[in-house]
Amino acid sequence: MAHKFRSLISNKIIQALDHIAIGGEGLKSSTVIPCIQVDQKARIHPEFRVSLRRLQQRGVISSTAVGRKSLLNCASSLVEKFHTDMTIPGVYVVEDKADIRVNFKVNCHNLVADVVGITALRPDAFWRSSALVNILPKERVVADFSSPNIAKPFHVGHLRSTIIGNFICNLHEAFGHEVTRINYLGDWGTQFGILKYGYDACKMTEEDLKDGAIRKLYEVYVWANQKAEEDSSVLVKAQEIFSKMEQGDEEVLRAWNLFRKVSIEDLRRVYSRLNVTFDEYHGESMYSADECQEIIKMMEEKDLLENTEDGRKVFSLTPNNRITVVKSDGSSIYLSRDIAGAVDRYKRYKFTKSYYVVDNAQTDHFVALFTIINQLGFDWAENMSHVKFGRIRGMSTRKGTAVFLEDLLDEAQNVMKQKQEEANTTKNDLQYSDVDIADKVAVSCILVGDMKQRRQRDYVFSWDKVLQSQGDTGAKLQYVHCRLMNLQENCGVEFTPTVNTRFLTEPVAISLICEMARFDEVLIEAYKELEPCVLVNYLFKLSGSINVALKQLQVKSSPLEVAKARLALFVTARYTLAAGMKILGVEPLNNM
Ligand code: ARG
């Protein structure tokens, strides 16, 4: 946001650099937007900062102007140039020698008019017209996230992948990129042999899978797995069943199809509680032995594979690290399927970015995958990345170790309800109007509680912390959104997008507007680092400013013009909050 200032300042800088002949070659103001930030501390005197070092890193200042001294000279020349050419109304130039920055103190009224004016008129698309967003090249993004294993439980790692992956997709979509969301199911491998063995041994039928399929399949899997551990002939049988699958045996594939179908139906229901959808369900099964053949051939032609004595084919990542790509019986494995999958995805989507949102534990796997794709000579290897995240410890339900996502969501809802009952007696906590709302607030809490953490850090989970109504939780964001909605509906003044923003002069109003003005900068930072906590923390700060402003700026009892301007401030603040929540995957509620 704060578009006008940003482009005014950036244009002026480019012109001035050109004038003092220290600009990089072929500079165009449309392609180089200096990194300008609204100073968070400046509050009442909003300030945009331009760091000369940053400009140099981005090639805006030519690299011949090296060293501190010449950068300082450059800053002085810039300031001088601005002083003699004061054509920007309300923009003043100060030199800050310590950081070699040029700071622009901007006229408050103009900033207020810019931020509130634009946001009020274009609630849905306001951040999209930001110059910071518009200079990003348009990407074709493929994101592989969630990706649980059928027949094995959906664990908290999959939950984090789902939450973070969804956020990454939402953010890219918000920036106008083309996004394909892929759920790459673990639907192939020996575990299906084990599952099918158990299914037959327990004489199960399709009827048995009518509801709670994932749970039942899991029970059978655990049982059969135990058997396989005790009795090696069971494992041999399971391996035979999987080999049959790879060879296209109809009977086994019919069962596999059923397991896959009922599991996806189950998953979809749970995803809908989390507001998550996928464009496509892919699976490891798409890259079974036959599909992997072509890849193996390519690898062999490039001399990337060696045959071991026990009949495997291995790839040497380093001289001491040889990784299996084909098993001795010729069947595919996780890595070979991912290689074939990557090639197939490139063919289908011609992606410019391909993300794999998977926990830290699979770092070696993805290093191997990307190295192989690179050594196969595919230049798009550099567009692939592993978006890693840490482990959550202690996320379980009262029944014990949680293995099913649905149990977790139910548990959250129960804890929420319990809190509500306590609140009914103590009257100092939030109360929710119905079960559906309690569930939605609980989900918001889980999402926000997770995204609040730096993605790569491990953290300890606590129901109390995540679900509390005070403190920085999903419930708080929902609560603030509801307060704003309530104000808009009940203040007795009608919201109109064009108001006289000159009535917004109080420090709390300016402070809130400065916070809103940072929204696009925050999104860009979250985008560059693929880090949801940047946005979450911002939304907490924004909510804090909103709460302070709500306390001090009355709408109802103020003269009409003032009331209208204040209402516009609160409505635009709500738009900003809601836009941020939606990008996080949290559906903003209108009442609680
Ligand atoms: N199903 C895998 C697991 O649960 C995650 C798959 C991630 N995506 C991928 N393309 N390897 O560990």
Side-chain angles (χ1 to χ4, degrees):
M1 238 180 295
H3 314 73
K4 236 185 256 162
F5 285 101
R6 200 174 273 120
S7 47
L8 273 175
I9 294 171
S10 76
N11 283 335
K12 281 286 158 195
I13 286 192
I14 302 288
Q15 275 175 23
L17 284 173
D18 199 34
H19 188 258
I20 52 183
I22 44 174
E25 266 167 40
L27 230 50
K28 271 197 235 113
S29 56
S30 59
T31 53
V32 189
I33 307 289
C35 188
I36 299 168
Q37 297 205 333
V38 178
D39 190 336
Q40 294 177 43
K41 289 184 207 102
R43 300 296 179 211
I44 312 165
H45 304 292
E47 212 172 67
F48 285 76
R49 295 169 164 188
V50 180
S51 151
L52 293 206
R53 271 201 211 291
R54 278 280 251 296
L55 291 190
Q56 195 171 38
Q57 279 161 6
R58 295 165 148 229
V60 185
I61 292 176
S62 81
S63 53
T64 47
V66 279
R68 191 181 171 78
K69 213 160 169 211
S70 41
L71 279 186
L72 270 176
N73 284 341
C74 175
S76 315
S77 313
L78 265 180
V79 170
E80 212 174 286
K81 175 85 184 96
F82 278 107
H83 275 310
T84 50
D85 170 30
M86 275 306 309
T87 49
I88 309 172
V91 174
Y92 307 97
V93 185
V94 181
E95 191 188 342
D96 181 341
K97 285 193 175 169
D99 281 16
I100 320 184
R101 290 193 316 229
V102 180
N103 292 0
F104 296 77
K105 286 208 186 298
V106 302
N107 178 304
C108 234
H109 293 309
N110 293 357
L111 184 71
V112 170
D114 190 27
V115 173
V116 176
I118 291 179
T119 314
L121 279 171
R122 305 178 55 204
D124 291 334
F126 58 89
W127 72 87
R128 289 189 199 152
S129 51
S130 157
L132 288 174
V133 174
N134 286 339
I135 55 162
L136 298 173
K138 288 287 165 262
E139 310 276 2
R140 269 188 309 277
V141 183
V142 171
D144 171 327
F145 67 104
S146 195
S147 306
N149 303 316
I150 290 183
K152 286 198 201 162
F154 189 111
H155 55 68
V156 285
H158 297 124
L159 174 62
R160 287 208 88 182
S161 171
T162 310
I163 296 174
I164 297 169
N166 188 49
F167 158 77
I168 289 175
C169 290
N170 290 345
L171 185 57
H172 281 73
E173 262 165 12
F175 284 179
H177 302 313
E178 203 179 294
V179 178
T180 307
R181 299 157 185 253
I182 297 180
N183 195 340
Y184 179 69
L185 301 173
D187 62 355
W188 207 246
T190 316
Q191 76 260 30
F192 277 88
I194 295 178
L195 180 63
K196 175 73 167 71
Y197 170 86
Y199 186 78
D200 291 342
C202 297
K203 299 204 167 42
M204 284 179 78
T205 63
E206 190 167 346
E207 199 56 30
D208 296 324
L209 300 179
K210 273 268 149 65
D211 50 41
I214 291 189
R215 211 172 289 256
K216 286 185 185 146
L217 288 177
Y218 178 60
E219 279 164 17
V220 173
Y221 173 78
V222 171
W223 177 82
N225 204 32
Q226 179 81 31
K227 277 258 174 283
E229 269 168 26
E230 290 160 6
D231 175 356
S232 62
S233 74
V234 170
L235 186 62
V236 172
K237 275 192 198 125
Q239 277 160 348
E240 278 167 15
I241 297 177
F242 178 55
S243 285
K244 276 192 183 170
M245 273 168 71
E246 290 243 284
Q247 286 149 22
D249 180 286
E250 266 184 37
E251 196 262 328
V252 189
L253 283 181
R254 201 174 315 119
W256 169 82
N257 252 314
L258 172 70
F259 300 160
R260 192 177 193 275
K261 190 186 104 207
V262 293
S263 301
I264 292 181
E265 281 164 10
D266 248 25
L267 283 170
R268 279 213 166 100
R269 198 185 55 240
V270 184
Y271 287 133
S272 75
R273 274 174 85 175
L274 289 170
N275 314 319
V276 173
T277 54
F278 292 90
D279 297 304
E280 303 198 16
Y281 280 80
H282 285 185
E284 293 184 37
S285 59
M286 290 162 62
Y287 310 105
S288 60
D290 278 355
E291 284 72 21
C292 283
Q293 267 324 304
E294 207 180 315
I295 299 302
I296 307 301
K297 218 174 94 203
M298 282 163 75
M299 286 185 77
E300 280 175 332
E301 276 165 15
K302 298 242 171 196
D303 250 352
L304 299 179
L305 288 180
E306 270 169 67
N307 294 309
T308 61
E309 277 177 9
D310 58 4
R312 288 172 300 134
K313 290 182 194 296
V314 296
F315 168 77
S316 298
L317 190 59
T318 62
N320 303 326
N321 189 2
R322 304 200 315 165
I323 307 163
T324 306
V325 179
V326 186
K327 286 207 279 195
S328 51
D329 65 359
S331 53
S332 64
I333 58 167
Y334 186 49
L335 178 59
S336 49
R337 295 195 278 268
D338 252 336
I339 303 170
V343 173
D344 180 49
R345 280 181 201 176
Y346 188 73
K347 268 194 205 136
R348 285 174 196 246
Y349 308 108
K350 294 277 176 302
F351 56 74
T352 57
K353 278 187 179 181
S354 168
Y355 296 124
Y356 293 84
V357 188
V358 187
D359 63 49
N360 282 333
Q362 295 197 25
T363 300
D364 292 348
H365 169 78
F366 286 103
V367 169
L369 171 63
F370 301 161
T371 310
I372 292 171
I373 295 292
N374 180 32
Q375 294 197 9
L376 279 170
F378 295 118
D379 56 2
W380 44 265
E382 63 187 36
N383 300 339
M384 310 203 313
S385 48
H386 176 196
V387 183
K388 308 173 195 183
F389 52 83
R391 255 192 285 161
I392 317 178
R393 291 183 216 283
M395 193 188 241
S396 61
T397 63
R398 274 169 288 192
K399 276 182 240 146
T401 31
V403 282
F404 298 102
L405 178 61
E406 202 157 23
D407 286 346
L408 272 180
L409 298 181
D410 288 345
E411 177 82 358
Q413 201 189 42
N414 285 337
V415 177
M416 214 40 150
K417 264 194 254 153
Q418 201 185 325
K419 275 179 174 287
Q420 202 172 336
E421 276 154 26
E422 284 161 17
N424 282 343
T425 47
T426 58
K427 295 276 178 238
N428 62 3
D429 217 332
L430 289 178
Q431 297 180 33
Y432 307 114
S433 48
D434 62 37
V435 177
D436 191 37
I437 300 268
D439 191 39
K440 285 186 171 150
V441 178
V443 166
S444 311
C445 285
I446 291 187
L447 299 181
V448 171
D450 189 66
M451 286 186 277
K452 204 173 130 173
Q453 320 290 332
R454 268 216 164 254
R455 146 165 88 70
Q456 297 221 45
R457 208 170 283 162
D458 294 350
Y459 74 94
V460 179
F461 181 85
S462 133
W463 283 114
D464 265 350
K465 263 199 200 147
V466 166
L467 296 178
Q468 66 192 353
S469 52
Q470 260 90 52
D472 290 344
T473 63
K476 178 175 173 181
L477 298 183
Q478 292 290 16
Y479 178 64
V480 174
H481 187 267
C482 290
R483 268 187 86 179
L484 291 170
M485 200 65 201
N486 188 19
L487 173 85
Q488 188 175 347
E489 280 166 0
N490 301 315
C491 67
V493 180
E494 209 189 320
F495 166 62
T496 46
T498 37
V499 294
N500 188 347
T501 50
R502 292 240 158 217
F503 289 108
L504 298 172
T505 51
E506 297 79 0
V508 286
I510 307 300
S511 178
L512 174 55
I513 287 157
C514 284
E515 211 55 83
M516 287 160 61
R518 292 172 55 222
F519 187 52
D520 55 350
E521 294 171 4
V522 168
L523 290 183
I524 288 286
E525 199 188 325
Y527 173 81
K528 286 193 175 145
E529 296 175 27
L530 298 179
E531 196 56 270
C533 75
V534 171
L535 177 57
V536 172
N537 291 331
Y538 165 77
L539 292 180
F540 287 137
K541 276 212 189 113
L542 179 70
S543 301
S545 300
I546 292 172
N547 277 336
V548 174
L550 277 171
K551 235 181 244 154
Q552 294 189 26
L553 306 177
Q554 298 299 321
V555 176
K556 223 175 189 166
S557 53
S558 305
L560 188 61
E561 287 291 288
V562 177
K564 283 196 152 205
R566 288 181 179 177
L567 180 61
L569 170 67
F570 288 123
V571 171
T572 52
R574 184 174 67 75
Y575 288 158
T576 311
L577 177 63
M581 289 168 77
K582 282 187 197 149
I583 291 174
L584 291 177
V586 176
E587 179 197 337
L589 296 173
N590 292 340
N591 54 62
M592 273 162 80

